[in-house]
Amino acid sequence: MGETCRFVVNAVGKGGETYYTHFSSKQDLDKWVSDNREKLSMDELKIVDKHKRKNPILRLFNL
């Protein structure tokens, strides 16, 4: 079985809300960000792409 989510979003809203969500496709991520842009503090938006953050050397040693 593969990973079910690729993008992990951690964001803070303008009213102090905390958002933590995940998406499997870039299109879903872009739609969520555009739909919630007025609620989010864009300076506090962090998006992690799980496919790009793993170093091939570290994957080799499974760290």
Side-chain angles (χ1 to χ4, degrees):
M1 291 198 186
E3 294 181 26
T4 58
C5 68
R6 177 176 176 178
F7 300 99
V8 177
V9 178
N10 190 2
V12 176
K14 291 181 180 175
E17 305 91 346
T18 302
Y19 297 94
Y20 180 79
T21 187
H22 58 275
F23 299 96
S24 59
S25 70
K26 177 108 170 127
Q27 293 81 17
D28 292 339
L29 171 67
D30 290 340
K31 182 176 179 341
W32 184 84
V33 170
S34 66
D35 290 346
N36 294 296
R37 185 173 295 274
E38 66 277 352
K39 293 190 251 180
L40 299 174
S41 173
M42 297 309 281
D43 294 336
E44 297 292 325
L45 178 66
K46 294 182 178 46
I47 301 171
V48 176
D49 184 351
K50 286 184 164 184
H51 290 182
K52 288 189 177 182
R53 78 176 189 157
K54 292 183 180 177
N55 187 334
I57 301 293
L58 295 177
R59 271 192 273 162
L60 179 66
F61 294 109
N62 199 18
L63 297 174

